[in-house]
Amino acid sequence: MALLELTGIDALYGRVRALRGVTIAVDQGEVVALIGSNGAGKTTTLRTISGLMHPPNGSIMFDGKDITRTPAHKIVGLGICQSPEGRRLFPRMQVIDNLRMGAFLRKDPAGVQKDMDRVFELFPRLKERTTQLAGTLSGGEQQMLAIGRALMSKPKLLMLDEPSLGLAPILVETIFQIVREINAQGIPILLVEQNAHKALEVAHRAYVLETGSIVKTGSGKELLNSPDVQRAYLGI
Protein backbone atom coordinates (compact mmCIF):
# COMPACT_ATOMS: atom_id res chain seq x y z
CA MET A 1 0.00 0.00 0.00
CA ALA A 2 1.30 3.46 -0.93
CA LEU A 3 2.00 5.99 1.81
CA LEU A 4 -0.17 8.55 -0.02
CA GLU A 5 -2.75 7.64 -2.63
CA LEU A 6 -5.12 9.97 -4.45
CA THR A 7 -7.82 8.22 -6.47
CA GLY A 8 -10.12 9.99 -8.93
CA ILE A 9 -9.78 13.40 -7.27
CA ASP A 10 -11.79 16.35 -8.63
CA ALA A 11 -11.40 19.92 -7.36
CA LEU A 12 -13.56 22.97 -7.99
CA TYR A 13 -13.11 26.72 -7.71
CA GLY A 14 -16.73 27.75 -7.89
CA ARG A 15 -17.92 26.27 -11.19
CA VAL A 16 -14.40 25.90 -12.58
CA ARG A 17 -13.09 22.34 -12.44
CA ALA A 18 -9.40 22.58 -11.51
CA LEU A 19 -8.72 18.84 -11.16
CA ARG A 20 -10.29 16.03 -13.17
CA GLY A 21 -10.00 12.51 -11.81
CA VAL A 22 -6.42 12.90 -10.57
CA THR A 23 -4.87 9.63 -9.40
CA ILE A 24 -1.34 9.67 -7.99
CA ALA A 25 0.64 7.80 -5.34
CA VAL A 26 3.75 8.34 -3.23
CA ASP A 27 5.52 5.34 -1.71
CA GLN A 28 7.86 5.25 1.26
CA GLY A 29 11.31 6.58 0.40
CA GLU A 30 10.31 8.18 -2.90
CA VAL A 31 10.65 11.58 -4.45
CA VAL A 32 7.62 12.01 -6.69
CA ALA A 33 7.47 15.05 -8.97
CA LEU A 34 4.35 16.71 -10.32
CA ILE A 35 5.14 18.83 -13.37
CA GLY A 36 3.04 20.90 -15.71
CA SER A 37 2.51 24.42 -16.99
CA ASN A 38 1.11 27.28 -14.93
CA GLY A 39 -2.55 26.70 -14.16
CA ALA A 40 -2.34 22.94 -14.73
CA GLY A 41 -3.51 22.19 -11.18
CA LYS A 42 -0.25 21.37 -9.40
CA THR A 43 -0.73 23.65 -6.40
CA THR A 44 -4.41 22.74 -6.26
CA THR A 45 -3.39 19.11 -5.87
CA LEU A 46 -1.23 19.99 -2.86
CA ARG A 47 -3.96 22.19 -1.37
CA THR A 48 -6.39 19.30 -1.65
CA ILE A 49 -4.00 16.91 0.08
CA SER A 50 -3.44 19.51 2.81
CA GLY A 51 -7.17 19.75 3.50
CA LEU A 52 -7.46 23.35 2.33
CA MET A 53 -9.86 22.12 -0.35
CA HIS A 54 -12.21 19.15 -0.11
CA PRO A 55 -12.84 17.23 -3.33
CA PRO A 56 -16.43 16.61 -4.44
CA ASN A 57 -15.30 13.28 -5.89
CA GLY A 58 -12.50 10.83 -5.22
CA SER A 59 -10.55 9.74 -2.16
CA ILE A 60 -7.25 10.49 -0.42
CA MET A 61 -5.58 7.77 1.64
CA PHE A 62 -2.56 8.49 3.82
CA ASP A 63 -0.70 5.94 5.91
CA GLY A 64 -3.69 3.60 5.67
CA LYS A 65 -6.28 6.24 6.71
CA ASP A 66 -8.92 8.02 4.65
CA ILE A 67 -8.17 11.75 4.98
CA THR A 68 -10.46 12.97 2.18
CA ARG A 69 -12.57 15.05 4.57
CA THR A 70 -9.97 15.66 7.28
CA PRO A 71 -9.76 19.36 8.29
CA ALA A 72 -6.56 21.18 7.35
CA HIS A 73 -5.55 21.82 10.97
CA LYS A 74 -5.43 18.06 11.62
CA ILE A 75 -3.44 17.12 8.52
CA VAL A 76 -0.08 18.28 9.92
CA GLY A 77 -0.64 16.19 13.03
CA LEU A 78 -1.06 13.13 10.82
CA GLY A 79 2.39 13.68 9.32
CA ILE A 80 1.88 15.73 6.12
CA CYS A 81 3.61 19.08 5.97
CA GLN A 82 4.04 21.53 3.12
CA SER A 83 6.60 24.17 2.24
CA PRO A 84 4.27 26.45 0.26
CA GLU A 85 4.82 28.41 -2.91
CA GLY A 86 6.01 31.89 -1.98
CA ARG A 87 7.47 30.57 1.32
CA ARG A 88 4.76 32.19 3.53
CA LEU A 89 7.11 32.88 6.42
CA PHE A 90 6.36 35.04 9.44
CA PRO A 91 8.47 38.00 8.24
CA ARG A 92 8.57 39.94 11.54
CA MET A 93 9.58 36.92 13.56
CA GLN A 94 13.13 35.72 14.01
CA VAL A 95 14.48 32.73 12.12
CA ILE A 96 14.52 30.62 15.29
CA ASP A 97 10.87 31.43 16.04
CA ASN A 98 9.79 30.56 12.49
CA LEU A 99 11.43 27.17 12.99
CA ARG A 100 9.74 26.72 16.37
CA MET A 101 6.38 27.43 14.74
CA GLY A 102 6.96 24.37 12.57
CA ALA A 103 7.05 22.28 15.75
CA PHE A 104 3.95 23.93 17.24
CA LEU A 105 2.00 20.67 17.59
CA ARG A 106 4.85 18.61 19.00
CA LYS A 107 5.14 17.61 22.66
CA ASP A 108 8.67 16.15 22.62
CA PRO A 109 11.20 18.90 23.53
CA ALA A 110 14.21 16.61 23.13
CA GLY A 111 13.03 15.53 19.68
CA VAL A 112 12.34 19.13 18.69
CA GLN A 113 15.89 20.12 19.65
CA LYS A 114 17.30 17.15 17.73
CA ASP A 115 15.37 18.18 14.62
CA MET A 116 16.44 21.81 15.09
CA ASP A 117 20.07 20.63 15.08
CA ARG A 118 19.37 18.60 11.93
CA VAL A 119 17.88 21.65 10.19
CA PHE A 120 20.98 23.66 11.08
CA GLU A 121 23.17 20.90 9.64
CA LEU A 122 21.20 21.04 6.38
CA PHE A 123 21.12 24.85 6.37
CA PRO A 124 24.22 26.29 8.10
CA ARG A 125 23.21 29.78 6.97
CA LEU A 126 20.12 29.61 9.16
CA LYS A 127 22.23 28.81 12.21
CA GLU A 128 24.22 31.98 11.51
CA ARG A 129 21.01 34.01 11.35
CA THR A 130 18.89 32.60 14.20
CA THR A 131 18.01 36.06 15.58
CA GLN A 132 17.54 37.76 12.20
CA LEU A 133 14.02 38.68 11.13
CA ALA A 134 12.80 36.27 8.46
CA GLY A 135 11.62 39.09 6.22
CA THR A 136 15.16 40.44 5.92
CA LEU A 137 16.68 37.19 4.62
CA SER A 138 17.64 36.75 0.97
CA GLY A 139 15.32 34.78 -1.28
CA GLY A 140 17.45 31.66 -1.04
CA GLU A 141 17.68 31.90 2.74
CA GLN A 142 13.91 32.34 2.98
CA GLN A 143 13.41 29.18 0.94
CA MET A 144 15.77 27.32 3.24
CA LEU A 145 13.79 28.58 6.23
CA ALA A 146 10.47 27.53 4.68
CA ILE A 147 11.77 24.00 4.12
CA GLY A 148 13.37 23.92 7.56
CA ARG A 149 10.13 25.01 9.20
CA ALA A 150 8.28 22.18 7.43
CA LEU A 151 10.90 19.67 8.60
CA MET A 152 10.40 20.79 12.21
CA SER A 153 6.95 19.17 12.15
CA LYS A 154 8.70 15.80 11.76
CA PRO A 155 6.77 14.93 8.58
CA LYS A 156 6.04 11.45 7.30
CA LEU A 157 5.55 13.17 3.92
CA LEU A 158 7.08 16.49 2.89
CA MET A 159 5.38 18.47 0.12
CA LEU A 160 7.46 21.13 -1.64
CA ASP A 161 5.69 23.68 -3.82
CA GLU A 162 8.00 25.47 -6.27
CA PRO A 163 11.12 25.44 -4.05
CA SER A 164 13.36 26.96 -6.76
CA LEU A 165 10.97 29.76 -7.76
CA GLY A 166 12.77 33.08 -8.19
CA LEU A 167 16.19 31.80 -7.13
CA ALA A 168 19.52 32.36 -8.86
CA PRO A 169 20.85 29.30 -10.74
CA ILE A 170 23.54 28.52 -8.14
CA LEU A 171 20.91 28.52 -5.38
CA VAL A 172 18.65 26.28 -7.46
CA GLU A 173 21.45 23.70 -7.49
CA THR A 174 21.76 24.04 -3.71
CA ILE A 175 18.03 23.58 -3.11
CA PHE A 176 17.83 20.42 -5.22
CA GLN A 177 20.90 18.96 -3.52
CA ILE A 178 19.11 19.56 -0.22
CA VAL A 179 16.02 17.81 -1.58
CA ARG A 180 18.21 14.78 -2.26
CA GLU A 181 19.71 14.93 1.23
CA ILE A 182 16.30 15.15 2.91
CA ASN A 183 15.06 12.18 0.94
CA ALA A 184 18.24 10.22 1.74
CA GLN A 185 17.37 10.69 5.42
CA GLY A 186 14.20 8.70 4.78
CA ILE A 187 11.56 11.38 4.18
CA PRO A 188 9.29 10.86 1.15
CA ILE A 189 8.77 14.02 -0.91
CA LEU A 190 5.99 15.16 -3.22
CA LEU A 191 7.58 17.87 -5.35
CA VAL A 192 5.75 20.47 -7.42
CA GLU A 193 8.26 22.35 -9.53
CA GLN A 194 8.21 24.62 -12.58
CA ASN A 195 11.81 23.66 -13.38
CA ALA A 196 10.83 20.34 -14.91
CA HIS A 197 14.37 19.31 -15.79
CA LYS A 198 15.63 19.61 -12.20
CA ALA A 199 12.49 18.00 -10.82
CA LEU A 200 12.81 14.97 -13.08
CA GLU A 201 16.50 14.62 -12.27
CA VAL A 202 15.77 14.12 -8.56
CA ALA A 203 12.46 12.24 -8.90
CA HIS A 204 12.09 8.48 -8.66
CA ARG A 205 8.71 8.83 -10.40
CA ALA A 206 6.78 11.71 -11.89
CA TYR A 207 3.38 12.72 -13.20
CA VAL A 208 2.58 15.26 -15.91
CA LEU A 209 -0.50 17.36 -15.21
CA GLU A 210 -2.31 19.26 -17.99
CA THR A 211 -5.49 21.29 -17.45
CA GLY A 212 -6.31 19.34 -14.30
CA SER A 213 -5.69 15.81 -15.65
CA ILE A 214 -2.77 13.41 -15.41
CA VAL A 215 -1.63 12.82 -18.99
CA LYS A 216 1.65 10.98 -18.52
CA THR A 217 3.52 9.11 -15.80
CA GLY A 218 6.78 7.22 -15.48
CA SER A 219 10.15 7.27 -13.79
CA GLY A 220 12.01 10.58 -13.69
CA LYS A 221 14.49 9.23 -16.23
CA GLU A 222 11.73 8.00 -18.57
CA LEU A 223 10.05 11.38 -18.62
CA LEU A 224 13.35 13.21 -19.06
CA ASN A 225 13.87 11.13 -22.20
CA SER A 226 10.30 11.46 -23.45
CA PRO A 227 10.13 13.52 -26.68
CA ASP A 228 6.68 14.86 -25.70
CA VAL A 229 7.92 16.04 -22.31
CA GLN A 230 11.10 17.46 -23.83
CA ARG A 231 9.13 19.52 -26.32
CA ALA A 232 6.51 20.72 -23.86
CA TYR A 233 8.53 21.34 -20.68
CA LEU A 234 12.26 21.06 -21.27
CA GLY A 235 12.69 23.40 -24.22
CA ILE A 236 14.23 20.70 -26.42
Side-chain angles (χ1 to χ4, degrees):
M1 178 183 294
L3 175 66
L4 174 73
E5 190 166 11
L6 279 65
T7 305
I9 290 292
D10 293 346
L12 301 173
Y13 290 104
R15 295 183 179 180
V16 177
R17 190 172 296 276
L19 297 179
R20 304 169 183 271
V22 167
T23 296
I24 66 173
V26 181
D27 292 327
Q28 292 283 4
E30 282 192 312
V31 176
V32 174
L34 191 58
I35 66 170
S37 58
N38 287 332
K42 303 185 302 295
T43 294
T44 299
T45 301
L46 297 192
R47 286 174 56 84
T48 303
I49 296 167
S50 294
L52 297 171
M53 299 176 65
H54 294 302
N57 300 301
S59 66
I60 305 172
M61 299 292 295
F62 178 71
D63 203 16
K65 299 176 182 177
D66 188 333
I67 63 167
T68 312
R69 297 283 180 265
T70 301
H73 67 278
K74 293 185 178 180
I75 292 290
V76 174
L78 294 175
I80 299 176
C81 198
Q82 179 174 343
S83 175
E85 181 181 1
R87 294 133 199 176
R88 304 292 181 91
L89 300 173
F90 299 98
R92 299 192 181 194
M93 291 171 59
Q94 294 179 350
V95 166
I96 190 72
D97 291 325
N98 270 270
L99 291 173
R100 286 171 179 152
M101 287 300 291
F104 181 78
L105 294 177
R106 296 178 61 177
K107 308 296 183 186
D108 57 329
V112 169
Q113 185 57 55
K114 182 178 179 180
D115 286 338
M116 185 79 74
D117 293 341
R118 181 176 67 157
V119 168
F120 287 148
E121 286 178 10
L122 278 171
F123 305 109
R125 288 194 209 179
L126 297 184
K127 189 172 185 178
E128 298 168 2
R129 292 162 171 75
T130 52
T131 60
Q132 188 170 332
L133 298 183
T136 66
L137 298 174
S138 70
E141 291 163 350
Q142 288 189 18
Q143 186 60 67
M144 294 173 189
L145 182 53
I147 295 173
R149 181 181 60 184
L151 289 173
M152 287 301 298
S153 73
K154 200 173 183 179
K156 295 179 182 177
L157 173 68
L158 176 63
M159 300 196 300
L160 301 178
D161 193 356
E162 302 287 5
S164 76
L165 186 65
L167 300 185
I170 190 169
L171 289 176
V172 171
E173 294 290 342
T174 299
I175 289 297
F176 279 98
Q177 181 56 42
I178 288 165
V179 169
R180 289 187 178 94
E181 290 180 24
I182 292 170
N183 181 245
Q185 293 175 0
I187 299 176
I189 296 172
L190 178 57
L191 172 65
V192 162
E193 176 56 52
Q194 192 69 30
N195 188 330
H197 193 278
K198 286 295 180 185
L200 294 176
E201 280 185 339
V202 302
H204 297 96
R205 292 188 303 108
Y207 297 88
V208 179
L209 194 60
E210 289 184 4
T211 59
S213 300
I214 300 294
V215 296
K216 201 172 188 66
T217 184
S219 70
K221 185 176 181 179
E222 286 170 347
L223 294 188
L224 266 176
N225 293 325
S226 163
D228 291 341
V229 172
Q230 289 177 349
R231 282 192 298 270
Y233 305 107
L234 305 181
I236 298 175

